[in-house]
Amino acid sequence: MLALIAGRGRLPEMLVEGLRAADREVLVCGYAEAEGRVAPDVTFSLEGLGGLARRLKSAGVSEICMAGGITRPKLRLSRLDFATLLLLPRLVRGLRRGDDGALREVIALFEENGMAVRGAHEILPELLPAAGVLTELRPDRKDRADAERGEEIVAAMGAADVGQSCVVARRQALAIEAMPGTDWMLTSLARARDGLPEGGLLFKAPKPGQDRRVDLPAIGPDTMRAASIAGLKGVVIEAGGVMLLDPDTTIRIADEVGLFLWVRPKGG
């Protein structure tokens, strides 16, 4: 049996649909502070993570997939269950190391309980599109230079565990993703576009050295709408490193609003 640790957004819903269509048994575990689009079979909190791992092991779960967005939680010591209390030192160390550190501790917890951690793209390989331009509009020479600069910026951001996307125009960074996420970044840019270079692109890629089984970046229809409102010319994602949600709808919207979508191999 596979347990899906489900956060917000469309991705958990797609995974449940795909798993059930393949007649695979799935147990949906919903994080108490991240109401998602899929009704959970089990609800848990960070303070009950140790108990959840034991419960899933007892239920015969052999695989785990973590998908969907959550807000980085605060650890409330007064609510710890006994199993999680025993894990407290390592959880605190992980949280102090940032998002990647915290996720690595969670992965280790499930693996120590005999469960393999699977990436969403391992369950649905079609989430990772083939390299190429997927839209009618194609990037030009200036766009390619901006994409090269975007790759440099996101690599530097990722090394500091900051974010996975940025906006570049004329090789200048107009915005970088932080904790609120990509949509917030684009919405903020749309409100403050006066005086900045026109056009530009959104560049998105995984962090260097990231465990790609968890927190792999994704884009979808909402990304295209937000990029259009922000006045961008296109969206560039790293081939093999960024998931494309609802691809038909995403590409159709990009064509309707006049954006390009380029699935770019790393390094060009």
Side-chain angles (χ1 to χ4, degrees):
M1 184 193 306
L2 182 142
L4 175 64
I5 310 298
R8 297 184 300 269
R10 171 70 172 133
L11 180 57
E13 189 176 34
M14 291 179 65
L15 288 166
V16 170
E17 291 170 356
L19 287 162
R20 289 177 177 165
D23 291 326
R24 290 195 60 185
E25 189 176 5
V26 56
L27 181 72
V28 180
C29 304
Y31 183 62
E33 297 183 7
E35 184 177 348
R37 296 168 61 163
V38 182
D41 301 304
V42 175
T43 301
F44 73 99
S45 65
L46 176 62
E47 294 81 9
L49 189 61
L52 174 69
R54 291 186 177 185
R55 179 177 179 180
L56 296 181
K57 180 179 180 180
S58 297
V61 170
S62 59
E63 295 179 297
I64 294 285
C65 179
M66 291 180 272
I70 64 168
T71 301
R72 188 175 179 184
K74 294 180 180 179
L75 187 62
R76 297 159 295 192
L77 299 180
S78 62
R79 301 188 184 183
L80 289 171
D81 66 17
F82 181 72
T84 310
L85 181 62
L86 299 176
L87 301 169
L88 184 58
R90 60 191 289 186
L91 285 176
V92 171
R93 285 197 302 270
L95 288 167
R96 285 176 177 170
R97 291 197 302 269
D99 292 343
D100 283 355
L103 287 169
R104 289 182 191 279
E105 290 296 343
V106 173
I107 289 171
L109 171 62
F110 288 121
E111 289 180 333
E112 289 163 9
N113 280 275
M115 290 169 269
V117 178
R118 306 296 186 200
H121 60 288
E122 297 178 66
I123 297 169
L124 295 179
E126 59 269 29
L127 286 168
L128 295 179
V133 179
L134 307 184
T135 48
E136 296 174 2
L137 183 67
R138 304 185 67 81
D140 59 23
R141 177 179 56 81
K142 293 181 181 179
D143 300 322
R144 293 178 181 275
D146 282 345
E148 179 181 343
R149 180 60 175 156
E151 182 178 32
E152 296 170 354
I153 293 169
V154 168
M157 291 165 52
D161 197 15
V162 173
Q164 300 167 307
S165 67
C166 66
V167 175
V168 179
R170 300 181 189 175
R171 291 189 59 84
Q172 299 180 65
L174 304 191
I176 60 172
E177 179 191 0
M179 186 180 292
T182 302
D183 289 347
W184 181 88
M185 175 184 70
L186 293 173
T187 301
S188 300
L189 177 62
R191 292 196 297 260
R193 195 68 204 247
D194 290 348
L196 297 177
E198 295 181 355
L201 55 82
L202 169 69
F203 183 91
K204 194 160 190 143
K207 300 171 186 175
Q210 174 178 337
D211 189 325
R212 297 195 175 198
R213 293 174 295 174
V214 294
D215 197 30
L216 201 65
I219 66 165
D222 290 344
T223 311
M224 290 301 165
R225 295 186 185 101
S228 177
I229 293 170
L232 304 188
K233 185 180 174 185
V235 173
V236 182
I237 60 175
E238 182 182 299
V242 179
M243 296 180 287
L244 180 58
L245 310 183
D246 294 323
D248 292 343
T249 302
T250 301
I251 294 167
R252 175 179 57 78
I253 290 172
D255 285 333
E256 288 175 354
V257 299
L259 294 175
F260 65 76
L261 174 56
W262 178 17
V263 183
R264 176 182 178 268
K266 186 175 181 179

